[in-house]
């Protein structure tokens, strides 16, 4: 520790002043010794005063004062550097956070746009598939109607008193496609045994195909009760419209025992 007024004088003027004065003093002394002119008498006086101030402090304590001052300066510089580094880190973190937020917003926007595009593409594909299916069904129905019309056109239009099973089967062979005839025949076999006047006493189903109600065959011809050709025309049209073909109707019949 420094004594009395010596500590007071160092505390008041500060080590920086003492150091600066000491340097000036040394310079002045060297200048005088070498014969180099000095800037002014005031500079010399200040140097002399500073030299006197340092001289009042014991040599060992001067070293302690200088070491303490340098340590304080280093600590202050370190604190300032830490503060600047912290400030820079906070600024960098803020900038990075802003960049991350923008990136997230952009990613969300792109994801939303992608989802919308996929949904639109899916809806378009489903619509096109449905349109194709409807077009195919319409074309198939048109082909079926054309085929039925052209085929049934060869059936006799005038009924006679009675028909044998062979005659009725011959009529059917004339209008039913060859690959569908067996299915057609199987249904007639199970429904009426080729009896065009067969009646179900319980339900009132009538004819080769046991139509129920029987009167719905009237849309094909008014002679549906007595003309097997009219019944064949109706039965073939019914199978094609409802099941796609006689074989489609036969598949359903086997699974359900009705069609």
């Amino acid at each position: 520790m420094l004594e009395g007024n010596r500590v007071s004088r160092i505390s008041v003027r500060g080590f920086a002043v003492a150091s600066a004065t000491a340097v000036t003093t040394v310079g002045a002394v060297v200048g005088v010794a070498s014969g180099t002119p000095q800037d002014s008498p005031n500079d010399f006086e200040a140097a002399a005063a500073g030299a006197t101030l340092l001289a009042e402090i014991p040599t060992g304590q001067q070293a302690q004062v200088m070491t303490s001052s340098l340590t304080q300066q280093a600590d202050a510089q370190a604190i300032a550097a830490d503060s600047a580094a912290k400030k820079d880190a906070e600024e960098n973190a803020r900038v990075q956070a802003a960049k991350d937020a923008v990136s997230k917003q952009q990613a969300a926007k792109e994801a939303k746009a992608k989802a919308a595009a996929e949904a639109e593409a899916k809806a378009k594909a489903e619509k096109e598939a449905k349109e194709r299916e409807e077009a195919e069904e319409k074309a198939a129905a048109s082909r079926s109607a054309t085929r039925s019309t052209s085929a049934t056109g060869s059936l006799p239009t005038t009924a006679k008193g009675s028909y044998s099973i062979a005659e009725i089967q011959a009529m059917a062979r004339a209008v039913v496609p060859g690959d569908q005839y067996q299915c057609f025949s199987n249904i007639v076999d199970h429904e009426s045994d080729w009896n065009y006047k067969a009646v179900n006493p319980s339900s009132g189903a009538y004819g080769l195909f046991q139509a129920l109600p029987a009167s719905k065959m009237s849309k094909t011809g008014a002679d549906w009760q007595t003309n097997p050709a009219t019944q064949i025309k109706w039965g073939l049209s019914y199978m094609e419209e409802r099941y796609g073909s006689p074989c489609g109707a036969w598949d359903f019949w086997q699974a359900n025992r009705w069609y």
Side-chain angles (χ1 to χ4, degrees):
M1 295 295 291
L2 300 180
E3 300 177 357
N5 66 335
R6 290 197 184 112
V7 174
S8 175
R9 293 175 67 131
I10 288 298
S11 300
V12 171
R13 299 190 63 179
F15 177 75
V17 175
S19 298
T21 305
V23 172
T24 304
T25 303
V26 171
V29 172
V30 171
V32 170
S34 61
T36 302
Q38 301 301 307
D39 289 338
S40 69
N42 292 334
D43 292 339
F44 184 80
E45 292 176 359
T52 302
L53 186 64
L54 284 175
E56 295 177 357
I57 302 175
T59 302
Q61 292 181 1
Q62 289 180 25
Q64 292 178 4
V65 170
M66 292 176 67
T67 300
S68 176
S69 177
L70 292 174
T71 301
Q72 290 175 0
Q73 291 179 19
D75 290 344
Q77 291 175 354
I79 292 171
D82 289 343
S83 177
K86 182 178 179 181
K87 184 176 180 181
D88 289 343
E90 291 175 349
E91 179 63 17
N92 291 336
R94 185 188 65 78
V95 172
Q96 188 60 47
K99 290 181 179 179
D100 292 343
V102 171
S103 297
K104 288 181 179 179
Q105 290 177 353
Q106 183 64 26
K109 183 178 180 180
E110 291 175 355
K112 184 177 180 180
K114 182 179 179 181
E118 290 176 350
E120 183 179 356
K122 182 179 179 181
K124 183 178 180 180
E126 290 176 348
K127 181 180 178 181
E128 290 176 350
K130 184 177 181 180
E131 289 175 349
R132 285 196 301 271
E133 183 179 355
E134 291 176 349
E136 289 173 359
E137 290 178 353
K138 185 176 180 179
S142 178
R143 289 193 298 270
S144 176
T146 301
R147 185 172 62 249
S148 297
T149 300
S150 60
T152 56
S154 61
L155 291 172
T157 56
T158 303
K160 62 180 185 177
S162 63
Y163 296 87
S164 67
I165 292 177
E167 289 177 318
I168 297 172
Q169 290 176 340
M171 291 181 192
R173 286 183 184 277
V175 296
V176 178
D179 61 342
Q180 299 291 317
Y181 178 78
Q182 189 58 56
C183 296
F184 184 92
S185 179
N186 291 341
I187 291 177
V188 178
D189 283 339
H190 284 85
E191 292 294 324
S192 65
D193 262 343
W194 293 93
N195 179 3
Y196 67 100
K197 292 183 178 180
V199 179
N200 186 317
S202 300
S203 64
Y206 184 85
L208 296 171
F209 307 97
Q210 291 294 282
L212 185 67
S215 60
K216 63 184 177 181
M217 289 190 289
S218 62
K219 71 176 184 178
T220 305
D223 58 350
W224 57 271
Q225 291 176 295
T226 58
N227 191 346
T230 300
Q231 293 185 16
I232 290 172
K233 183 177 180 181
W234 177 87
L236 179 59
S237 177
Y238 172 80
M239 292 179 194
E240 290 179 338
E241 289 177 3
R242 183 159 185 172
Y243 301 102
S245 67
C247 284
W250 174 236
D251 289 341
F252 186 89
W253 194 98
Q254 293 180 91
N256 299 278
R257 313 307 294 179
W258 61 275
Y259 73 109

